[in-house]
Amino acid sequence: MNNHEQQLFLQFYESLAPEVQRDIKHYLFLYDWYLDERDPKARETLLGEMNMLERKYNLEVTHGGNKNNQPAGA
């Protein structure tokens, strides 16, 4: 990301409500942990936490797969 893009992102991020900023930080923390975690049960728990935030903000995210490679209707 170049300097201009970083500035635009920071302006956008700082314009968000403090609760939304906390949720973004928490989501990124969980995602980073998820990527490093090897225990399947812990990964499942982390995915559950991330899914709660995704539902809260009506996000559509696929973890560990390419959505474009899923069968039609999936």
Side-chain angles (χ1 to χ4, degrees):
M1 189 181 307
N2 69 37
N3 191 36
H4 180 69
E5 291 170 334
Q6 286 178 324
Q7 289 175 340
L8 287 175
F9 176 78
L10 284 175
Q11 286 177 338
F12 166 72
Y13 179 79
E14 291 170 357
S15 73
L16 299 171
E19 177 187 358
V20 176
Q21 290 179 11
R22 272 191 309 276
D23 285 346
I24 290 171
K25 286 180 185 178
H26 185 64
Y27 186 87
L28 293 174
F29 170 78
L30 291 170
Y31 186 68
D32 190 44
W33 188 0
Y34 170 81
L35 292 176
D36 292 338
E37 185 59 59
R38 296 295 171 231
D39 178 31
K41 288 190 183 258
R43 286 176 64 91
E44 185 177 324
T45 300
L46 293 167
L47 272 178
E49 290 285 323
M50 292 183 331
N51 286 336
M52 284 192 294
L53 288 168
E54 291 161 5
R55 283 191 302 274
K56 180 177 181 179
Y57 293 100
N58 197 28
L59 300 174
E60 184 178 323
V61 180
T62 57
H63 302 283
N66 184 345
K67 184 179 176 188
N68 294 329
N69 291 335
Q70 292 180 353

